[in-house]
Amino acid sequence: MEKKAAFAALVGRPSTGKSTLVNRLCGESVAVVSPVPQTTRNAIRGIVNREQGQLVLVDTPGIHRSEKKFNRRLADTAFHAAVESDLILYVLDVSRAPGPEEETIAQTIRGYQTPIVAVLNKMDLPSADFGQTKDFLKSQFAVFDESCFNESRIVPISAQKNEGLENLLSVLFNLAPAGDPFYPEEYYTDQEMDFRIAEIIRGAALPFLRQELPHAVYVEVADRELRENGGIQRLWVRAFIMCERESQKGMIVGKGGTVIKAIGLSARKELNRIFDWKVDLDLRVKTGKDWRHNDHVLKKLLDK
Ligand SMILES: Nc1nc2c(ncn2[C@@H]2O[C@H](COP(=O)(O)OP(=O)(O)OP(=O)(O)O)[C@@H](O)[C@H]2O)c(=O)[nH]1
Ligand SMILES: [Mg+2]
C-alpha cells in the first residue's frame, strides 16, 4: 500500500477544540487545552503515525478579530500555517452560532487553493446545532471548486468524547498526497525542550489563574541542567512565570506561596511523566512590564 504524508493545519475561532483534537489524535498532550479562549499562541505540531502513513497536525491560535498587536500576531500564525499546509482542518464549534467572525475566517481560507475539511466539533453538547453549522458552510463555500471542498468533507466529531475521530482520520488520509514520513515514526511532536517545558508549566498554571491572568502570563525557562545525584540523573529546571504587573504577582504566588506551590507540583507531575529523568523545578514569578506590547518579548514568544 502506498504510504501517505501530509501537513494538516487546524484553524478556527478560539475555543473550538483544536488543541483537544490534536492531543486526541496524537495520543499525547502536545498542546495546552483550557476553557479560556486564546490558549494556543504558536503553531504546534503533533504527529499521527498510522498504517496509512503520517499526518503532521499543526495546531494554531484561535482566530479572533482584534486590532491588538498580540492578537494580530496570533491570527497571522494561524493563516500562515494554513497557507503552508497540504490540508486545512477548519474546526467549528456546533454549539455556537457562526456570526461575522466565523464568516471572516471562512472567506479567508476559501481563497486558498488547499483542500479543506470542515470539522464540526462538540457534537456531544445538548446545544449542538449541526444543521445550522452545515448551512453556514454551504452558504460560504457555495461557489467553491469541488476539488477543494464538498459535502463529504463536513465531518461531525466530539474531540472530548473521542467520537468520529477514526472517520475523520480516514477522510484526511484519503485526501493526503503519497509520500514518505516527515518525521521518524516514534515521534509525536517536534517541539524544542524549553518550549515544551514552558508550555507544560503554563498548562499547569492556567487552572489556578482567574480573570485576565491567563492572558497576562507567559513562562520562561531561564536555566536547566542534567545533574547526577547518587548515580541517578535528574533534570533541574529554573523557570519564571512572567506576568504584566506587580499586582498580579501576589495572585500567582498566593497566600504563603500556596498557589505557586500547587502550580509547581502539578507541572512537575507532568514533567516527570514525559521525561526520562526525575525533574527538580525551581519556579518563580516575575514581572515583565506590559510584555504584550514589547516587540522583543513577542518575537521570542511567538516566532517559533
Ligand atoms: N463538550 C465539549 N467540549 C470540548 C470538546 N472539545 C474541546 N472542548 C472544550 O472546549 C474548550 C476549549 O478547548 P481547546 O482545545 O483549548 O480549544 P482551542 O480551539 O484549542 O482554543 P484556542 O487555543 O483558544 O484557540 C476546553 O474546555 C475543552 O475541554 C468537545 O468535543 N466537546
Ligand atoms: Mg488551542
Side-chain angles (χ1 to χ4, degrees):
M1 190 177 67
E2 199 175 32
K3 294 272 186 188
K4 303 285 194 87
F7 269 72
L10 288 85
V11 295
R13 288 156 93 186
S15 266
T16 55
K18 299 176 291 300
S19 302
T20 306
L21 178 58
V22 168
N23 291 344
R24 277 275 182 222
L25 293 175
C26 297
E28 245 307 339
S29 183
V30 298
V32 178
V33 166
S34 101
V36 179
Q38 294 215 294
T39 298
T40 306
R41 294 173 174 168
N42 303 88
I44 294 177
R45 284 172 289 279
I47 303 158
V48 181
N49 295 297
R50 291 291 166 105
E51 217 173 83
Q52 301 98 307
Q54 185 176 79
L55 294 173
V56 182
L57 302 174
V58 187
D59 188 15
T60 67
I63 299 159
H64 167 59
R65 285 207 300 193
S66 159
E67 281 315 304
K68 289 191 182 140
K69 191 191 273 185
F70 187 70
N71 291 313
R72 284 207 320 264
R73 292 282 301 265
L74 296 185
D76 286 349
T77 298
F79 287 127
H80 182 74
V83 172
E84 296 272 290
S85 63
D86 304 301
L87 299 170
I88 293 173
L89 271 72
Y90 176 24
V91 184
L92 299 99
D93 176 348
V94 286
S95 71
R96 287 176 67 196
E101 195 163 73
E102 198 71 80
E103 272 174 33
T104 310
I105 298 172
Q107 282 160 14
T108 306
I109 62 173
R110 78 183 182 205
Y112 303 155
Q113 303 281 296
T114 318
I116 296 170
V117 174
V119 180
L120 275 53
N121 191 29
K122 307 201 185 182
M123 289 295 291
D124 58 289
L125 289 176
S127 54
D129 191 339
F130 180 70
Q132 174 181 254
T133 313
K134 197 166 157 183
D135 288 348
F136 166 79
L137 287 166
K138 282 168 131 179
S139 72
Q140 291 300 316
F141 295 98
V143 288
F144 218 69
D145 175 355
E146 276 278 305
S147 67
C148 286
F149 188 77
N150 61 50
E151 214 168 320
S152 71
R153 302 205 195 146
I154 300 179
V155 185
I157 66 157
S158 165
Q160 198 175 63
K161 300 264 188 268
N162 215 352
E163 284 164 10
L165 302 196
E166 285 307 314
N167 178 37
L168 173 61
L169 278 179
S170 66
V171 171
L172 296 178
F173 274 117
N174 269 335
L175 289 170
D180 293 327
F182 298 99
Y183 295 93
E185 282 168 24
E186 66 276 15
Y187 277 36
Y188 61 82
T189 189
D190 68 346
Q191 293 170 44
E192 284 178 8
M193 194 162 163
D194 281 354
F195 177 77
R196 186 129 165 87
I197 294 172
E199 285 290 90
I200 285 170
I201 298 170
R202 190 167 69 94
L206 287 180
F208 295 93
L209 306 179
R210 299 276 166 269
Q211 292 156 5
E212 88 287 4
L213 273 180
H215 296 117
V217 303
Y218 73 94
V219 175
E220 187 174 288
V221 174
D223 206 358
R224 70 174 151 87
E225 111 192 342
L226 270 182
R227 293 175 173 177
E228 192 148 327
N229 194 346
I232 297 170
Q233 278 201 321
R234 300 183 73 92
L235 177 67
W236 172 84
V237 178
R238 171 169 294 147
F240 295 109
I241 297 180
M242 305 293 297
C243 57
E244 286 183 315
R245 293 190 302 275
E246 272 307 301
S247 59
Q248 295 169 337
K249 242 167 108 172
M251 290 191 270
I252 303 170
V253 172
K255 224 177 175 179
T258 45
V259 176
I260 185 83
K261 251 187 223 148
I263 295 171
L265 202 71
S266 160
R268 224 173 37 239
K269 209 166 141 191
E270 180 66 359
L271 292 168
N272 279 331
R273 191 182 68 77
I274 67 158
F275 290 122
D276 292 336
W277 319 282
K278 283 278 171 214
V279 178
D280 296 317
L281 181 59
D282 176 355
L283 188 59
R284 303 170 189 206
V285 186
K286 222 163 112 171
T287 308
K289 201 168 175 307
D290 289 331
W291 61 263
R292 270 185 286 182
H293 302 283
N294 181 325
D295 285 335
H296 177 69
V297 176
L298 292 189
K299 191 169 166 40
K300 189 172 65 176
L301 209 60
L302 305 180
D303 286 357
K304 299 254 184 230

